[in-house]
């Protein structure tokens, strides 16, 4: 569902998984929690042609302040909607600061660029209320108030995510539980192999 929302294809599933794994490993969130966020924000983000990397970054920054899952998705969806439609003058408030939400071709600018410019703006609390509204302003402030170090660390991990899912899997399997899981998988494989070979004989007996 999330792949579809972000206008990605089945062939992008590996990279998509890597981005989720990198974000979950470097922020206070989980892969399942991010999936819940994307349920609410993915379609709107996709309509604005935002990348999974940028949205994962914003999701991770919000999660670091305890805004996760449904709450984060609702906040992001509200922010995207209000900015793209200029609800309550959200886009106008940015323009007054010299920050444009759309480029000269009428396309939404890169989300990370817009948020990066907003992070340097003064009076963030008032600005967040105008842009995000009362309910979603906490989510926007969580992004805008992130330290440069935390922002860059998470962004770097996400933008270099390839292989992160495999590394996460390897780490999770490197314990007793992982060994038992692998053993169970091997046993299941043997059962399937024997089952396939014996199936014709067992079926003949059953029919008889």
């Amino acid at each position: 569902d999330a792949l579809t929302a972000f206008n990605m294809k089945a062939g992008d599933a590996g990279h998509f998984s890597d981005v989720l794994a990198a974000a979950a490993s470097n922020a206070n969130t989980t892969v399942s929690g991010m999936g819940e966020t994307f349920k609410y924000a993915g379609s709107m983000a996709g309509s604005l042609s935002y990348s999974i990397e940028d949205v994962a970054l914003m999701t991770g920054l919000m999660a670091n302040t305890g805004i996760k899952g449904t709450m984060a998705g609702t906040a992001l969806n509200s922010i995207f909607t209000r900015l793209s439609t200029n609800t309550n003058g959200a886009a106008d408030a940015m323009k007054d600061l010299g920050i444009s939400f759309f480029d000269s071709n009428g396309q939404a600018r890169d989300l990370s660029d817009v948020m990066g410019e907003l992070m340097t703006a003064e009076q963030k609390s008032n600005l967040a209320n105008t842009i995000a509204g009362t309910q979603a302003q906490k989510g926007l402030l969580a992004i805008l108030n992130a330290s440069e170090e935390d922002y860059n660390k998470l962004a770097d991990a996400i933008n270099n995510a390839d292989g992160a899912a495999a590394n996460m899997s390897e780490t999770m399997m490197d314990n007793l539980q992982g060994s038992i899981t692998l053993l169970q998988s091997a046993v299941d494989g043997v059962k399937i192999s024997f089952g396939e070979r014996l199936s014709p004989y067992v079926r003949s007996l059953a029919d008889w």
Side-chain angles (χ1 to χ4, degrees), residues 13-161:
H15 177 67
F16 188 88
S17 298
D18 284 337
V19 170
L20 295 186
S25 298
N26 292 275
N28 187 24
T29 186
T30 63
V31 171
S32 60
M34 295 182 72
E36 191 68 21
T37 297
F38 295 158
K39 282 184 184 180
Y40 292 82
S43 295
M44 193 64 197
S47 71
L48 295 169
S49 298
Y50 285 153
S51 68
I52 177 59
E53 287 86 354
D54 277 354
V55 179
L57 173 58
M58 303 308 152
T59 300
L61 292 174
M62 287 194 293
N64 284 341
T65 64
I67 302 173
K68 310 176 185 181
T70 301
M71 185 184 300
T74 302
L76 280 175
N77 185 65
S78 177
I79 294 167
F80 296 158
T81 301
R82 289 169 69 93
L83 284 173
S84 61
T85 58
N86 197 27
T87 303
N88 291 343
D92 289 338
M94 287 177 49
K95 187 176 291 186
D96 290 339
L97 297 171
I99 304 172
S100 298
F101 181 71
F102 294 103
D103 61 22
S104 58
N105 296 318
Q107 301 296 315
R109 295 174 59 216
D110 285 346
L111 180 59
S112 58
D113 290 343
V114 173
M115 291 300 169
E117 292 172 7
L118 284 173
M119 289 175 75
T120 62
E122 297 182 0
Q123 298 180 328
K124 294 179 183 177
S125 296
N126 293 336
L127 183 62
N129 186 277
T130 301
I131 293 177
T134 304
Q135 298 299 320
Q137 65 175 329
K138 290 182 179 179
L140 181 55
L141 282 173
I143 298 170
L144 301 185
N145 289 331
S147 70
E148 183 177 355
E149 180 182 357
D150 288 344
Y151 184 97
N152 290 336
K153 178 184 176 182
L154 184 56
D156 184 62
I158 289 174
N159 290 326
N160 296 281

Side-chain angles (χ1 to χ4, degrees), residues 162-177:
D162 290 344
N167 291 335
M168 177 181 282
S169 175
E170 183 178 343
T171 299
M172 293 175 67
M173 296 298 285
D174 188 21
N175 52 40
L176 176 59
Q177 183 60 45

